[in-house]
Amino acid sequence: MPLYGLIGYPLGHSFSAAWFAEKFRREAIADAEYRNFPLESVEELPQLWAEHPDLVGLNVTAPYKVAVMPYLASVDPVAQAIGAVNCMVRRPDGWHGYNVDWIGFGETLRPLLEGERPDALVLGTGGASQAARYALTQLGIRYLSVSRTPKKERQIAYADLSPEVMASHRLIVNATPLGTFPAIDGAPPIPYDLLSPHHILYDMVYNPPLTTFLRHGQKHGCRIRNGRGMLERQAEESWRLFSEGR
């Protein structure tokens, strides 16, 4: 039976296995199984492949979206441009990497914008933020990345989020894991008192549904969205890639 799964660490917050189990039940897909594979180190990946020769597809979550790339036979050009992989498919010549996060993010962000194209702040610089930045570029939205230690062009520090910056960047994307279950009190250190009803807050975190980040936005009348729709859309796109060889 073909085996699919999710790698990352930890995975206690993830809904992916339950989502795929429900999909298999709903669509009467009896010859497939999806499991969580928490790896304490990305170096355990070759051993996972060796121990499970029936593995044919894997999703990738934090902290391995970048770290898995050297292990792959090829990386899709879009994933290469993003610099992160969240979907891997086994083919006869080895494992191949793709990024479908940007599709899930872009397609679920677009309705929230209501036709606007506000400048954005992308919180974090990991694999999820790289997908967000790529999607924003495709949507024609300018952005700044926010990091504790900015090192590149178009990156600023959290300490630089002045009233002027906050007022001129009305879309704020949390691409960090802060606020994820079980550490639900966490939130990116932005000046929430500078939020207004003109701001749009998108949190890639989906567990819990209303994060501390989004709760701040809700308090200030912002348009808000969590990452559940993104999860579901990228999962559908992952299944499309997984199914090409079925």
Side-chain angles (χ1 to χ4, degrees):
M1 178 186 296
L3 177 62
Y4 308 89
L6 173 71
I7 63 167
Y9 194 83
L11 295 179
H13 68 283
S14 177
F15 292 165
S16 293
W19 188 91
F20 274 100
E22 172 58 22
K23 177 181 177 64
F24 296 161
R25 184 201 63 75
R26 185 176 64 248
E27 300 181 13
I29 301 171
D31 62 336
E33 182 182 3
Y34 192 102
R35 294 187 207 164
N36 284 345
F37 296 102
L39 304 182
E40 293 190 15
S41 167
V42 73
E43 295 174 358
E44 298 174 19
L45 182 58
Q47 181 181 347
L48 176 70
W49 286 339
E51 291 177 353
H52 297 278
D54 48 348
L55 259 177
V56 292
L58 284 168
N59 289 117
V60 185
T61 191
Y64 301 136
K65 293 183 180 183
V66 178
V68 297
M69 295 175 72
Y71 293 87
L72 302 173
S74 79
V75 176
D76 175 77
V78 171
Q80 196 76 254
I82 292 170
V85 161
N86 81 305
C87 178
M88 302 189 298
V89 181
R90 194 185 76 188
R91 307 206 188 283
D93 60 337
W95 285 83
H96 299 257
Y98 303 86
N99 191 299
V100 293
D101 271 342
W102 78 275
I103 297 174
F105 172 70
E107 291 188 4
T108 54
L109 171 65
R110 191 181 292 111
L112 191 64
L113 298 175
E114 298 179 355
E116 301 176 38
R117 290 294 184 271
D119 288 356
L121 297 172
V122 180
L123 312 180
T125 55
S129 71
Q130 290 166 236
R133 296 196 301 267
Y134 184 87
L136 291 173
T137 299
Q138 303 310 303
L139 290 169
I141 294 175
R142 298 181 301 179
Y143 64 84
L144 289 175
S145 295
V146 186
S147 169
R148 293 184 185 278
T149 54
K151 298 176 181 177
K152 298 180 180 178
E153 187 180 356
R154 295 168 76 181
Q155 284 188 4
I156 63 173
Y158 283 96
D160 296 326
L161 294 177
S162 65
E164 293 75 20
V165 171
M166 292 293 289
S168 61
H169 293 76
R170 295 189 297 104
L171 171 60
I172 306 177
V173 179
N174 179 29
T176 79
L178 291 170
T180 303
F181 177 85
I184 60 174
D185 292 331
I190 68 171
Y192 293 101
D193 59 313
L194 297 178
L195 294 176
S196 75
H198 301 293
H199 281 92
I200 303 166
L201 270 57
Y202 189 112
D203 200 336
M204 288 185 163
V205 174
Y206 57 84
N207 183 11
L210 186 64
T211 60
T212 300
F213 173 75
L214 292 182
R215 194 176 297 114
H216 282 297
Q218 187 180 63
K219 176 183 174 182
H220 288 86
C222 307
R223 274 176 267 165
I224 64 172
R225 178 152 300 167
N226 67 30
R228 182 59 187 258
M230 174 183 169
L231 166 74
E232 295 174 350
R233 182 64 188 89
Q234 68 83 28
E236 288 285 4
E237 193 65 17
S238 293
W239 182 247
R240 183 186 68 79
L241 291 168
F242 293 162
S243 300
E244 286 180 351
R246 281 173 62 86

